[in-house]
Amino acid sequence: MGEIISVFREEHFNAAHRLNNALWSDSKNKEVFGKCNLPNYHGHNYILIVKVTGEIDENTGYLIDMKILSDIIKEQVLDRFDHKNLNIDVPEFKALNPTAENIAIVVYNLLRPLISELLSLQIRLYETPRNFVEYPAK
Amino acid sequence: MGEIISVFREEHFNAAHRLNNALWSDSKNKEVFGKCNLPNYHGHNYILIVKVTGEIDENTGYLIDMKILSDIIKEQVLDRFDHKNLNIDVPEFKALNPTAENIAIVVYNLLRPLISELLSLQIRLYETPRNFVEYPAK
Amino acid sequence: MGEIISVFREEHFNAAHRLNNALWSDSKNKEVFGKCNLPNYHGHNYILIVKVTGEIDENTGYLIDMKILSDIIKEQVLDRFDHKNLNIDVPEFKALNPTAENIAIVVYNLLRPLISELLSLQIRLYETPRNFVEYPAK
Amino acid sequence: MGEIISVFREEHFNAAHRLNNALWSDSKNKEVFGKCNLPNYHGHNYILIVKVTGEIDENTGYLIDMKILSDIIKEQVLDRFDHKNLNIDVPEFKALNPTAENIAIVVYNLLRPLISELLSLQIRLYETPRNFVEYPAK
Amino acid sequence: MGEIISVFREEHFNAAHRLNNALWSDSKNKEVFGKCNLPNYHGHNYILIVKVTGEIDENTGYLIDMKILSDIIKEQVLDRFDHKNLNIDVPEFKALNPTAENIAIVVYNLLRPLISELLSLQIRLYETPRNFVEYPAK
Amino acid sequence: MGEIISVFREEHFNAAHRLNNALWSDSKNKEVFGKCNLPNYHGHNYILIVKVTGEIDENTGYLIDMKILSDIIKEQVLDRFDHKNLNIDVPEFKALNPTAENIAIVVYNLLRPLISELLSLQIRLYETPRNFVEYPAK
């Protein structure tokens, strides 16, 4: 049996968003979300690091082919999020506030069905160089 | 007389934008600007590096007080661009396409009147880690 | 119930320090701590990354408001450590050697009472780009 | 008893390698490993981060002297891998494909006997800024 | 007439190389190039930053379409250098030592004919994070 | 004759300092230098990038041997500044305020006599990731 190891792949996307809870008043949203609630959107260069953990394939010395992992991320995440407005263009955020936390959970849920059940998955998402999240927590 | 030296100050802002030439057809805009023309905006973590060149003040050993330079950048650029939609919220881009090139020129023109005429000024602006511009060219 | 997630906030401070065990002779200190023991202090740009783990607030999509977390770090750590001499100016290090390990533990103990008991906390501290620590270990 | 903490030391080495399974045909190797299988080798600036976890020594405030840790990494890894061809010059890869995963495991096995049994060890290895691995997985 | 500005595009390639002067004895090569002369090659993650300077196109707000610039770099440099052995696989280095200096000059000469004569060109090449070159010097 | 090119070498040192003009009153110093004037020193991880420009040696393909350049920087700068208190331990700053500007000029003056007169020299010094200087200005 192969050793248990983790591999990480970093990808980038650039998107607009705005934080807002549609069930709240404008003043409540402004109070809670501050400048992140400004009406005309702002944006980020999001950095996404996908971590996959499992047993090495001893024939290849790979846990997973990084090219295949990169292609899955591209199809499921980058093609749907990159150069988009998360609030308007991405159905998952129609009723879900696109905080870094929620984006990480959505990315996890998009990728999970396409990664072997034998492998565990974790998402790290940088919204800015100083603010980032990991899901699921370990 | 003091030595001639350059100092640099890095600041960050996060904004939404979209590239579009209002004088062109939609199809021409789409052809030229690709996904940067998508209608609902996308965004970036812009990194701004302001370079100021001139003679050291021998009493302080400073070219310019970095705190004062940082405050000027904050008032002129960050307070007006950060967490905003450049196309909608920033008057300078009402009739000017907010490419990295044009943003750098607008930043230069906003800062130039507030920096001593004895000092020269150059703007470096990163739109992404792999795409950046400098104005004026040297 | 909300998902369990981790968020991270990076802050910076610049401080002087010197490594020394007051119970040891000068020659023993010099032997063990080398140039870190030099008498007149040296210094670092410390990078602090605070990790908080817990359940997302489904109303906000936040684990914790990053502005509030940043303010707590500023009050408890930056206002007390930044541009200071850790050995002389910070009471916690009067009798505790300001190694990266001990600074991380002191930061943890300063922040822990101000973060909800429902949230777990971990500190990462970079003394240089190549030397860093995490407390508590996971 | 001292607190349990982790320390990390980053080191770099530059090496050539090529991915190939000697038991497979050339066409199978080319299909699986793509341009990483090209016959004349390519190379990387590998970034190695060694994580050591255990109890702080209360006399020093160190988990482990970073100078000693750095020297062990230099002797065991850098002196054997840096500016070398991993496939040709490093005996461990005579019959083992030098993927990032396998390099991390080899590094772990080289360092493990030289670090106290009271301390646990983990290796992070960057093959490129966007592809990296951790062993053992946690 | 448009403003004069510089734009920069960063690309990466991973290659093996070895420094050697075929006109010198082995001992002279070993003396001058040290471990960079080891016979079986080593390698690097080269970072290439291409700077182009000229007049903004006022219709687009671009100096040059970064997608077109990126495609030119890919065709001329990455497709020929990436995952290759510079000494063996790249004809330009058959009789030219592949130092960072010479690689930068070769890159310049490959790109120059494909960039408009109205635009000036400069190459920055990182061989490691701590060693890099610029050609032509300014 | 060889091509004209620039090479850059990055080195690091960690030092304590304090900004103060001995000819001024305490209150004037505090007003001008703020927290950088605090009496017990603070410190930085300084990043030094030395740029050397001149004609390539066609026998080696080097402008200058980076190992030799690194050794010169180590002897002249790192051995004198690293893990030191600039105000107390470095004679050049006995009567000169150790601002980033002045440190860069001192480094230039230390290195200039040891670099061939045929080569030009420029110093870039980062005091923090967001504040840096270049001398001489170009």
Side-chain angles (χ1 to χ4, degrees), chain C residues 19 21 24 32-33 36 97 99-102 104-105 124 128-138, chain D residues 3-12 49 51 53 56 58-66 124 138:
Chain C
L19 301 187
N21 181 334
W24 288 350
V32 172
F33 295 117
C36 296
N97 206 12
T99 59
E101 290 90 331
N102 281 334
I105 295 170
R124 177 179 280 204
T128 71
R130 297 196 175 187
N131 287 346
F132 57 102
V133 304
E134 279 182 357
Y135 176 80
K138 47 177 183 179
Chain D
E3 301 280 349
I4 305 302
I5 201 162
S6 298
V7 302
F8 303 74
R9 174 67 193 170
E10 180 179 314
E11 301 284 352
H12 297 197
I49 301 181
K51 176 184 181 179
T53 300
I56 290 186
E58 294 188 338
N59 291 314
T60 57
Y62 281 167
L63 174 67
I64 184 175
D65 184 325
M66 287 295 215
R124 175 179 281 204
K138 48 178 183 179

Side-chain angles (χ1 to χ4, degrees), chain C residues 34-119:
Chain C
K35 62 185 178 180
C36 296
N37 179 247
L38 286 170
N40 296 322
Y41 311 100
H42 60 282
H44 298 289
N45 300 337
Y46 291 94
I47 301 176
L48 171 64
I49 300 181
V50 175
K51 176 184 182 178
V52 180
T53 301
E55 186 187 338
I56 290 186
D57 177 336
E58 295 188 338
N59 291 312
T60 57
Y62 281 166
L63 174 68
I64 184 175
D65 185 326
M66 286 294 214
K67 178 70 171 63
I68 292 174
L69 179 58
S70 175
D71 287 347
I72 292 171
I73 301 168
K74 184 176 183 304
E75 285 170 22
Q76 295 299 312
V77 182
L78 275 54
D79 286 352
R80 301 174 76 250
F81 291 15
D82 187 38
H83 282 72
K84 298 289 175 60
N85 183 310
L86 298 179
N87 303 65
I88 299 174
D89 298 323
V90 181
E92 285 83 353
F93 299 109
K94 288 292 181 200
L96 183 70
N97 206 12
T99 59
E101 290 90 331
N102 281 334
I103 299 171
I105 295 170
V106 166
V107 168
Y108 179 89
N109 290 332
L110 287 168
L111 295 179
R112 184 62 274 185
L114 289 133
I115 307 287
S116 160
E117 291 179 5
L118 299 173
L119 303 175

Side-chain angles (χ1 to χ4, degrees), chain E residues 19 21 24 32-33 36 97 99-102 104-105 124 128-138, chain F residues 3-12 49 51 53-54 56 58-66 124 138:
Chain E
L19 301 186
N21 181 334
W24 287 351
V32 172
F33 295 118
C36 296
N97 207 11
T99 58
E101 290 90 331
N102 280 335
I105 294 170
R124 175 179 281 205
T128 71
R130 297 196 175 188
N131 287 346
F132 56 101
V133 304
E134 279 183 357
Y135 176 80
K138 47 179 182 178
Chain F
E3 301 280 348
I4 305 302
I5 202 162
S6 298
V7 302
F8 303 75
R9 174 68 194 170
E10 180 179 314
E11 301 283 353
H12 297 198
I49 300 180
K51 177 183 182 179
T53 300
I56 289 186
E58 296 188 338
N59 291 314
T60 58
Y62 282 167
L63 174 66
I64 183 174
D65 185 325
M66 286 295 214
R124 175 180 280 203
K138 50 179 179 177

Side-chain angles (χ1 to χ4, degrees), chain B residues 101 122-123 125 132-138, chain E residues 3-8 51-54 56 63 66 120:
Chain B
E101 290 90 332
Q122 191 188 39
I123 304 303
L125 184 77
F132 56 101
V133 304
E134 280 183 358
Y135 176 80
K138 45 178 183 178
Chain E
E3 302 280 349
I4 305 302
I5 201 161
S6 299
V7 302
F8 304 74
K51 176 184 182 179
V52 180
T53 301
I56 289 186
L63 174 68
M66 286 294 215
S120 70

